């Protein structure tokens, strides 16, 4: 386990740095519709991987939630918590990178743009998850309620994204049904970042999981004394 | 005892208790009236609020439903009725349906009284189709009560009790709020043609939300109602 985590951390970190290097040194600067170079587009290589990873972590949290309810093993509760924690931290990074891009591109710190808004609601929903966890002392009830809520929250995420779409949007769309709209070197930089982010976040989830397990063991030993 | 009879028994119990005290419907309605006075104070200068009349209405309904949802379980918990319910030979998911339909009935009664008052007080009118307006309101209510019943069962069993419900219920019900606001705003302002498209999408979304969360809450209720 420890070795796996170290390997994942190093691989993920190396890929992330390579991705960023590719983004700034190899990939051309994007050109907007008016033929002007847009340097602020560089954030795309970090912002998008981080947001996809955050959403995946939340989905993972729900999957472990289901597994907990089926198998009743505390192991899955810890895994679910670890995934939601990592998803939440990555979500904060999404908000932050989104905000600085908005500032550079549109001149404001915040606008109620659909995607920003839906992510904001998503973060509030998961903030509720942590409040819920901290307000239950009894372990088995805490695990059951958290699992149920993590499933409800993950199911609600796509619905929120759809609902917000009822109001027109101005977010740049890079991927649609016809494929990716960018040059090969840009796509390469993006994919390297994306994989780096996925591997790195897996390592983080495993670290949090280990920490939880160790905490549990410590409590048990304390009680023994 | 068949499932239908079990569910009906729970609804009947809640309705009888409510008829004796009338506290839930009365306090919810008073709360809505107070919110309307607050709206008047906040937006009185505008005069005409047709543009966002639906939005204001849903803020009032959402917060009122929070009151009702909390009440519906505080009773059960305080008087030890929840244990009684769990000991009775009723299937757990049927407890969910019974409580949910009970909540839905109370919320609908409150809305039935509040909507005409709202329209009169603020000089509004439903310019679009009234049946469609009622359908949108009812669809939203079903969603509110489905997810609200599940989450209020969770929150009543925590240390924070009724403090927790808004924190988890409001973000989870946000798609519902958005869709309900879009639909009622468009219907009230009498939009037609392409202007009206978002309202239809919103109503479809409400229906989808209801189906998803009814099934999910029904399936998960066994895990939240107690060991």
């Amino acid at each position: 386990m420890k070795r796996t985590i170290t390997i994942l951390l190093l691989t993920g970190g190396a890929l992330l740095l390579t991705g960023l290097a590719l983004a700034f040194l190899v990939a051309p600067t994007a050109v907007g519709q008016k033929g002007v170079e847009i340097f602020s587009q560089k954030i795309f290589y970090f912002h998008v991987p981080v947001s996809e990873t955050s959403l995946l972590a939340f989905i993972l949290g729900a999957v472990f939630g289901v597994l907990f309810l089926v198998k009743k093993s505390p192991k899955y509760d810890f895994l679910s918590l670890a995934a939601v924690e990592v998803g939440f931290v990555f979500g904060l990074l999404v908000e932050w990178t989104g905000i600085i891009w908005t500032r550079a591109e549109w001149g404001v710190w915040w606008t109620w743009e659909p995607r920003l808004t839906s992510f904001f609601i998503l973060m509030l929903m998961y903030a509720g998850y942590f409040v819920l966890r901290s307000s239950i002392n009894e372990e088995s009830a805490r695990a059951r309620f958290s699992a149920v809520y993590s499933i409800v929250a993950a199911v609600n995420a796509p619905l929120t994204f759809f609902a917000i779409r009822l109001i027109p949007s101005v977010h740049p769309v890079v991927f649609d049904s016809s494929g990716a709209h960018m040059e090969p070197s840009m796509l390469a930089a993006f994919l390297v970042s994306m994989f780096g982010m996925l591997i790195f976040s897996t390592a983080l989830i495993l670290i949090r999981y280990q920490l939880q397990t160790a905490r549990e063991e410590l409590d048990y030993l304390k009680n023994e004394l | 005892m068949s499932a239908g009879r079990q569910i009906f028994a729970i609804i009947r119990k809640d309705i009888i208790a409510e008829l004796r005290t009338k506290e839930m419907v009365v306090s919810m309605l008073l709360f809505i009236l107070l919110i309307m006075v607050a709206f008047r104070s906040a937006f009185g200068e505008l005069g005409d609020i047709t543009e966002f009349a639906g939005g204001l209405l849903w803020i009032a309904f959402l917060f009122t439903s929070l009151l009702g949802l909390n009440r519906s379980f505080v009773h059960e918990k305080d008087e030890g009725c929840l244990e009684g319910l769990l000991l009775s030979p009723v299937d757990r998911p049927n407890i969910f349906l019974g409580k949910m339909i009970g909540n839905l009935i109370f919320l609908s009664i409150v809305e039935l009284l509040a909507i005409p008052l709202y329209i009169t007080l603020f000089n509004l009118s439903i310019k679009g189709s009234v049946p469609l307006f009622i359908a949108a309101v009812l669809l939203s209510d079903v969603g509110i009560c489905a997810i609200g019943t599940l989450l209020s069962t969770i929150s009543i069993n925590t240390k924070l009790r009724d403090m927790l419900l808004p924190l988890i219920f409001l973000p989870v019900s946000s798609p519902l709020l958005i869709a309900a606001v879009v639909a009622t705003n468009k219907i009230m302002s009498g939009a037609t043609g392409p202007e009206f498209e978002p309202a239809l999408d919103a109503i479809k979304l409400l229906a989808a939300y209801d189906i998803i969360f009814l099934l999910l809450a029904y399936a998960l209720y066994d895990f939240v109602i107690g060991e």
Side-chain angles (χ1 to χ4, degrees):
Chain A
M1 185 83 161
K2 271 215 163 70
R3 269 198 55 193
T4 322
I5 290 177
T6 318
I7 291 166
L8 284 174
L9 265 182
L10 290 174
T11 331
L15 279 174
L16 269 180
L17 290 174
T18 317
L20 284 179
L22 284 174
F24 281 99
L25 305 173
V26 181
T29 307
V31 178
Q33 283 151 341
K34 295 175 191 154
V36 188
E37 289 202 337
I38 311 171
F39 187 73
S40 67
Q41 179 269 344
K42 295 288 185 205
I43 207 163
F44 163 87
Y45 302 105
F46 184 83
H47 178 73
V48 178
V50 121
S51 62
E52 306 276 338
T53 310
S54 162
L55 290 174
L56 277 173
F58 286 142
I59 293 170
L60 204 61
V63 170
F64 287 129
V66 173
L67 280 172
F68 172 81
L69 293 178
V70 173
K71 302 202 166 164
K72 297 270 185 290
S73 152
K75 183 172 89 175
Y76 293 113
D77 177 47
F78 296 155
L79 278 168
S80 175
L81 171 65
V84 172
E85 277 175 337
V86 170
F88 194 77
V89 171
F90 276 52
L92 289 176
L93 283 174
V94 174
E95 289 290 344
W96 180 57
T97 48
I99 282 170
I100 50 180
W101 182 85
T102 310
R103 176 73 189 160
E105 208 49 42
W106 297 336
V108 286
W109 289 113
W110 180 264
T111 142
W112 289 95
E113 192 271 336
R115 242 175 271 205
L116 286 176
T117 312
S118 41
F119 222 97
F120 185 46
I121 294 171
L122 192 74
M123 297 305 285
L124 286 170
M125 198 157 63
Y126 280 101
Y129 175 89
F130 298 114
V131 179
L132 170 68
R133 272 198 94 93
S134 64
S135 67
I136 311 167
N137 289 338
E138 204 239 317
E139 276 149 33
S140 83
R142 183 171 57 217
R144 267 184 302 124
F145 290 167
S146 316
V148 167
Y149 187 69
S150 69
I151 296 165
V152 167
V155 168
N156 194 43
L159 285 167
T160 308
F161 281 70
F162 278 120
I164 294 271
R165 289 289 173 287
L166 294 167
I167 310 155
S169 158
V170 277
H171 201 97
V173 176
V174 179
F175 299 97
D176 61 15
S177 49
S178 62
H181 299 279
M182 48 181 161
E183 296 183 24
S185 61
M186 287 177 156
L187 189 62
F190 169 74
L191 286 177
V192 171
S193 291
M194 185 76 221
F195 279 109
M197 200 68 81
L198 284 174
I199 294 168
F200 193 72
S201 65
T202 310
L204 289 181
I205 290 175
L206 289 173
I207 291 172
R208 289 299 301 181
Y209 168 65
Q210 267 203 321
L211 189 69
Q212 285 291 340
T213 321
R215 221 179 250 164
E216 191 68 8
E217 232 165 273
L218 186 68
D219 278 344
Y220 177 75
L221 291 172
K222 268 184 191 163
N223 288 337
E224 288 275 283
L225 291 170
Chain B
M1 222 168 150
S2 70
R5 281 189 57 198
Q6 290 179 359
I7 296 166
F8 183 71
I10 293 175
I11 299 171
R12 191 163 157 263
K13 160 187 91 68
D14 281 350
I15 289 179
I16 291 172
E18 177 61 25
L19 283 174
R20 278 184 198 153
T21 58
K22 306 190 185 51
E23 61 183 15
M24 199 135 112
V25 169
V26 171
S27 47
M28 280 165 86
L29 190 65
L30 283 175
F31 185 69
I32 289 194
L33 287 176
L34 289 165
I35 292 183
M36 283 178 191
V37 175
F39 284 160
R40 172 67 208 168
S41 319
F43 308 110
E45 288 170 27
L46 292 169
D48 183 22
I49 59 158
T50 311
E51 284 295 305
F52 50 93
L56 292 185
L57 194 63
W58 280 109
I59 292 174
F61 286 169
L62 208 62
F63 281 92
T64 270
S65 66
L66 271 174
L67 276 188
L69 289 166
N70 266 326
R71 279 311 306 166
S72 85
F73 279 98
V74 164
H75 273 312
E76 306 275 10
K77 191 83 183 166
D78 287 351
E79 311 295 333
C81 302
L82 206 56
E83 283 78 8
L85 261 183
L86 292 176
L87 289 170
S88 66
V90 176
D91 297 332
R92 301 273 166 93
N94 291 342
I95 296 181
F96 164 73
L97 285 176
K99 293 301 288 183
M100 186 215 117
I101 295 168
N103 284 329
L104 186 63
I105 291 170
F106 297 138
L107 186 61
S108 308
I109 292 172
V110 171
E111 287 174 347
L112 198 66
L113 299 168
I115 292 172
L117 277 171
Y118 178 68
I119 288 175
T120 318
L121 288 175
F122 288 95
N123 225 340
L124 300 160
S125 62
I126 301 174
K127 296 193 181 81
S129 121
V130 175
L132 202 59
F133 180 85
I134 294 168
V137 171
L138 277 178
L139 278 175
S140 313
D141 289 352
V142 170
I144 286 175
C145 292
I147 197 67
T149 304
L150 178 75
L151 295 181
S152 63
T153 312
I154 289 181
S155 64
I156 206 70
N157 285 308
T158 64
K159 272 187 299 186
L160 286 173
R161 300 196 63 176
D162 45 351
M163 270 287 295
L164 182 68
L165 185 61
L167 298 185
I168 55 180
F169 171 75
L170 290 173
V172 173
S173 61
S174 65
L176 198 87
L177 176 68
I178 295 162
V181 169
V182 169
T184 45
N185 268 341
K186 293 278 177 204
I187 296 169
M188 282 180 103
S189 61
T192 48
E195 278 282 292
F196 192 67
E197 282 294 308
L200 289 176
D201 289 342
I203 288 174
K204 283 177 202 158
L205 186 86
L206 287 174
Y209 185 98
D210 290 0
I211 294 166
I212 290 169
F213 278 114
L214 269 175
L215 291 173
L216 199 63
Y218 185 83
L220 293 173
Y221 205 66
D222 206 3
F223 298 108
V224 299
I225 188 84
E227 283 289 55

